[in-house]
Structure formats: structure tokens, C-alpha cells
Amino acid sequence: MLKGGKMNELVKSLPSPTLPGLHLPCLDTYKGWLFKWTNYLKGYQRRWFVLSNGLLSYYRTQAEMAHTCRGTIPLAKAHIEVGDTCHLVLTSGGRSYHLKATSEGEWQRWVSALQQAKANATLLMHHSDDSGDEGPVPQEDRALTQGVLKTLASKLDDLSTCNELIGKHGAALQRSLSELEELRGSADSTDKVKAVNERATLFRITSNAMINACRDFLDVAESHSRRWQKALQYEREQRSHLEETIEQLAKQHNSLERAWRENPTSYTGVERSQEGDASDENDEAEFFDAMEESPAFITVTDTSGTNHMQLGRTRRSRIPDKPNYSLNLWSIMKNCIGKDLSKIPMPVNFNEPLSMLQRLTEDLEYSELLDRAARCDSSLEQMCLVAAFSVSSYSTTVHRTAKPFNPLLGETYELDRLDEYGYRSISEQVSHHPPAAAHHVTSQRGWTLWQHITIDSKFRGKYISVLPLGNIHLQFHSSGNHYVWSKVTSTVHNIIVGKLWIDQSGDIDIVNNTTKDTCRLKFSPYSYFSREVPRKVTGVVEDREGTAHYILSGTWDDKMESAKIVDSSQGCGGSEGKQKTVYQTLQPKLLWKKYPLPDNAENMHFFSSLALTLNEPEEGVAPTDSRLRPDQRLMEAGLWDEANVQKQRLEECQRIERKRREAQANHALEEDIEGYQPLWFEKRTDDSTRESTYVYRGGYWEAKERQDWSQCPEIF
């Protein structure tokens, strides 16, 4: 037999034994791509799956993990059915999920991970009822911790049983060897038998040591369990408090920004940004939008004992919540595939309580970009701000999948913001088929904008595409720079099946007809398989010789930045054998940042702060103003049934009026008489583009001042 000291050394030198059947719960996360069956229209779609803590969650992309989970499957009570190669079916809660892997190896890994996770989740569920912890930790966390401890205890009991059997068998082995030693007197055989006997004794001691080690581990885990739970609860409370603080700061920041924009001259401590007034040819310091330079606290100048901050009229900040009405879209749209969207009669359930004229006016949400551009001495810097303005008009559409009301012929909309933002706007529906609107904006801060837009829209079964035809014109008073650009295609997806979402795609070519500077903006279409940032917009600003000066980048739903080019070189790797141009730039500078949406926006059609005020009643407007349209007003109030009745009445009156005008037009052709003419706009040929467009003829604001609307037709 070995001495005690030598025996201990041998025990320490042995590797830690592992007995079969001792498997601790696997809490690691398994992630990867799988194809999930969606429906017969789309078939299998690629989804990002995450297996963690007995739950299988899936997302459209990896980026969605931060905000949107498309579904979660609890594996504890799920049935896993392994089908043909690379296929498997999960059944949970009466619903089946058909999944497919890209390869057999990946399929086998997923099957193994799912089966192991199901076994662990089932075991934890069985032990979670006896946790006995009355602390503040959530039930699911307490069940998970106690389940792990009970699993360890159970495995330790099994190991103790095995140890008892090993001891019994070891004792029997020793007795047998002792008897064998007595029968044989050979010295060699005796030494061999003694060696075997020592090994058997060593094996039993090793088993005891392993049992003791497992018991010590269990004691440590039990003693620290409550401390872990308290630490986890503390971290969750801290995170919740931090989220609430950030939300409050965002609301305060938004309020301060808007108060500053309404009356910037009444504040001290805010140095207005002059980055648009002087060239920064050799300045590498970043510049930011003026609203980002506001300090944490704004002081108001008070020189006579009263507050001199003159705020304009208080505009409304909310509208009635959108009712939750359900309607079968397919029953309405199935016979309309390939038709013009403006000719499809639809109930107000698919509208938002704004007209197309008001949506055009909503492009002025970030008019301060044009105010800054009007102060620029450099036409290239001015082009950057104009490009940012053209992108900003799409930021309000990211959640706005509803259709605006088609304006009636002769319908108008005015927006007077002279006191707040220095501009006023007038628009009119100048044609009904095809639907076309003319828009004119004059600003006291140095610019004029006008546009004539015709909407070409088609329903394609799975999506609706809306292509605005026509150009937007912008002219700055001091420099005379005249910019022209058009809009990109808007597409609403998942019309029949799935969640509606909107995308913008195409190119915008902005041309300064005065200096011949150009800017091409590329709106990248969304793709499941693209590695690019969703809703990405990129562009290059060039002078009349084609030399690039600025790189523009950002997303149409968040922000745009510009980076001044300091050097360029020809790289490699271009498509079709063409060489790519590699630009070296300074640090990017923020041009535009989207304002946060108002509180409860998800229940108010996702309207922005400006959109909430567009349909607010105004005194003295023309009788043809969109604010006075009855079906739109009733829809905003939540009376959708009454709104549908009014909508049908207006559409019927419009059809009767159109037939009357068509008869008059035929008569006019015979007698050489002009047909329908808009009231506030007239058709002219643009001198720079040579296009035929409707421009403002004047007279609206003068008629409003006199309150003389005798020329306006009765359309409502």
C-alpha cells in the first residue's frame, strides 16, 4: 500500500475525471441564418435566428435585433420534427414553423442545438416551481438560477450513487486480489497483484475527491446565488432609470430646438452658426447644424422687466387617436392590379387625414436649411444644403404608409408661416386626370420655391409604386442661383400580406442653372441581402468642369453629412473594367438631422410636429382650402363611417362635374374656346428648362386680405 503523502500526490496529478451522464445546462447563444416558410406568395424567406435560454427568436436582419423581433418560439413545450434533408418543423401553441438550412452540416448543427435547448428548457421548467425566492428578482430569472442549482444537486446525487457502487466493487476486487495473493507464492505475481490493488484503492480515493469537489462547487453556487440576483436586479433598475432619463432629455432637447427656431434673436448664449456664410476651404474643424450648437440651458433676454420672447400662435400638438378599424384590403384591390392608383375608389380606411396638397407643403418641414443656404457665399456649399433639403422631405414618410386624399379639381391649400419661419405657401390642384398640383412658396429670408408635380401611381399586386413627375425649382434672391431637381420613386410594399413598409429609390439630379454646378444623389433600394445601411443616400457635388468638391452621405430617414474633398486618385475594382475614383476628405460635417416625432405619434398616423398643424382650422382661408374638406375633417375626428359617406358624395359630384366639363371642352374645341383654367396658377414655358409648367400668377394673398373669394368654385 502507498503512504498517505504519496497517495495525495498521485491524486493531485490525475486529470479531473468526467462521468458519463453529467451534462450541465447549456446557456450559450446560437445564431445563424435559416429560411422560414412565410406564405405561398413569397415562399421561403431568409431570416436571422437566435437561440438563447430556451427561446428561438427570428428577425429579418441582424440589425433588427436591436429593436424588432418578428417572432419567438418557446422550446420547452415545442415539438421538433426532423424532415427531409435540410428541413425541420417546429410546432408550438398550435402553430407550425417550417424551416430550411442552407447545407446539411448547418442543418445538423441547428437540430442538435434545438434538441439540447429543448431538453434544458424542459428541465428548468420542471424545477422552477420550487425556487422559494421571494426577492424582487423576476420569476423567469429566479427559475433559471434555481433550476441550474437543482440540476447540479441532482447530478451530484447520481454521482454519489455511482461512487457507492465503485466502492463496493473496489472492496470486492481487493478481497479477490488478497485471496489470489494467498494462493500464489511467486514473488513476481505478488508484486503485480499489489500494484493492481494500489490502483484500485487510488481509483476509489479519486472518486471521493471528485465528489467533494462537486459538493464544494454546489455550496459556492448556492452561497452566491442571492448576491447574483440582487446585482442583476440593480443593473436592470439602473438601465430602466437611464432609459427614462434619456427620453426626458430628448423631449427637452426637442422643445428647446423648436423654441429657438421660432424666435432665435430673443436668446442669449446661442451664437448663430455662420458656417454657411463663409468658406471653410482650409478649416478642418467640423461644423454642425445650428440646432446642435444650443447649450444645455437657454437664457432669455429681459431688458424691461418683461419677457421679450415673442412666440407666435400656439399650434396644436395632437389630433384624435386613429381608430382601430379592420378591413380586407384584398377584397378591394384584387381587381385593380395594373390600374392608376388615383382611379381606384377606396374607403378612408387606407387614407391619412391630409390631402396631397398638404403632403407637398410638408416638404417645408426643414425650411431652415434653405434659410442657411440663402446666406452662403459659396455656391458649392449652397448646393450641399439644397441637396440636404431635397433629402429631408422624405424623412416624414418612413412610417407613413397610408394614402393622402386625392384633391378635387380646384382645391387649394395655404400655409402662412411668415411670423414663425418667414414663408408662406399656396398650392392648387390644376388637373384631375392625370392628378397634378402646382405649388408656390415665397420666403422673406431670401428664397422662392415652386413646383408642378403630376403623380403617376400603379398598383402591382404586391406593392404600389408612386412616381412624381415634374421638377422642383428653387431660386435664391441675392445670388440669383436657380436650382432644379425632381423626386424619386416611392414604393409601398406588402400590400396584400405582411406589414406595410415604404422605400425610396432612384436618383436625384440637382442642377444649378446659374453656375452649372451639379449634384447626383443616389437613393439605394432596400435589399435583404445587401450589406449597406438601410435607406442609404450618397452623392457627389461637382462644379461646371466636373471636378468633385464634396461627398454627401447619410440616410433619408435620419441625417445627411458633407465631407470636403482634398484629394482624389484612381483606384481599382470598378465594375465592367472601369476604375473607381478614391476621394480623400476632411471630417464629415452635419448638414441635417431629423427631429424626433411627437409623443403618441404612432396613434396619430406618425405625423410630425408640422403635419399635426397642417389640417388645423384657420380663419379667412379660401372656401376651396383642404381644411374645409368634410370627409377629411370627419376622418381626422375618428368618424370614419361618416367620412366614407361624404367621400362617396364628393366623388359622385366630381364625376358629374367632369362630364359637364368634358361636354364644354368638346364645344370649346368647335368654337376655339379654352377649357378649364386654374384660378391661381397659369401654364408657362420655363426659360431655363424649356418645360411647360404651371406657375403662380398672383392674387391669392391679396384676395385673402380683402376676403374676396367670389371667383372660387363650390367644390365641397
Side-chain angles (χ1 to χ4, degrees), residues 252-275:
Q252 294 173 4
H253 183 67
N254 186 32
S255 300
L256 291 173
E257 282 179 0
R258 295 196 173 277
W260 183 85
R261 288 195 303 118
E262 289 173 355
N263 201 342
T265 59
S266 298
Y267 296 100
T268 62
V270 181
E271 294 295 329
R272 289 188 60 88
S273 175
Q274 299 297 327
E275 71 275 5

Side-chain angles (χ1 to χ4, degrees), residues 151-335:
T151 301
L152 290 173
S154 174
K155 295 300 181 183
L156 187 59
D157 291 339
D158 295 341
L159 196 56
S160 298
T161 302
C162 293
N163 182 67
E164 292 177 2
L165 294 176
I166 291 173
K168 291 180 180 180
H169 290 301
L173 178 60
Q174 287 178 345
R175 287 195 300 271
S176 298
L177 292 175
S178 298
E179 293 173 357
L180 179 62
E181 185 178 0
E182 293 175 356
L183 292 176
R184 298 196 174 197
S186 173
D188 294 337
S189 62
T190 301
D191 293 338
K192 292 182 180 179
V193 170
K194 287 183 178 181
V196 173
N197 196 5
E198 289 176 356
R199 290 181 181 276
T201 303
L202 185 60
F203 177 72
R204 184 175 58 183
I205 295 174
T206 304
S207 300
N208 290 332
M210 183 171 59
I211 291 293
N212 293 332
C214 291
R215 184 177 291 110
D216 292 340
F217 174 77
L218 181 60
D219 292 340
V220 172
E222 288 177 341
S223 64
H224 287 76
S225 174
R226 187 170 298 277
R227 182 183 302 174
W228 294 338
Q229 292 172 359
K230 290 182 179 179
L232 181 61
Q233 179 66 18
Y234 174 77
E235 292 298 332
R236 284 187 172 148
E237 292 175 355
Q238 290 295 102
R239 177 180 175 181
S240 177
H241 177 69
L242 181 60
E243 289 176 349
E244 294 175 358
T245 304
I246 291 175
E247 183 179 358
Q248 293 175 1
L249 288 175
K251 293 177 182 178
Q252 294 173 4
H253 183 67
N254 186 32
S255 300
L256 291 173
E257 282 179 0
R258 295 196 173 277
W260 183 85
R261 288 195 303 118
E262 289 173 355
N263 201 342
T265 59
S266 298
Y267 296 100
T268 62
V270 181
E271 294 295 329
R272 289 188 60 88
S273 175
Q274 299 297 327
E275 71 275 5
D277 299 336
S279 174
D280 59 352
E281 294 288 333
N282 299 314
D283 187 5
E284 297 189 8
E286 294 188 40
F287 74 96
F288 297 91
D289 199 354
M291 61 187 177
E292 292 218 349
E293 295 182 356
S294 302
F297 299 93
I298 297 179
T299 58
V300 183
T301 305
D302 190 355
T303 58
S304 61
T306 59
N307 194 334
H308 279 257
M309 186 178 69
Q310 300 293 330
L311 294 178
R313 167 185 169 180
T314 301
R315 306 286 176 179
R316 68 181 184 180
S317 59
R318 63 169 294 107
I319 59 175
D321 287 355
K322 175 183 177 181
N324 187 18
Y325 287 152
S326 61
L327 194 64
N328 187 356
L329 178 61
W330 180 243
S331 63
I332 298 174
M333 305 292 284
K334 62 183 179 181
N335 297 321

Side-chain angles (χ1 to χ4, degrees), residues 530-548:
S530 175
R531 297 182 179 178
E532 298 288 348
V533 177
R535 309 182 184 97
K536 182 179 180 180
V537 181
T538 56
V540 180
V541 175
E542 299 178 344
D543 60 20
R544 64 187 307 157
E545 283 80 21
T547 303

Side-chain angles (χ1 to χ4, degrees), residues 72-85:
T72 301
I73 308 169
L75 296 178
K77 297 183 178 180
H79 174 68
I80 303 176
E81 179 182 349
V82 180
D84 298 335
T85 303

Side-chain angles (χ1 to χ4, degrees), residues 315 415-424 610 613 618:
R315 306 286 176 179
L415 187 68
D416 191 343
R417 292 290 192 268
L418 278 179
D419 295 336
E420 295 97 330
Y421 305 118
Y423 69 80
R424 57 185 182 182
L610 175 62
T613 67
E618 295 271 357

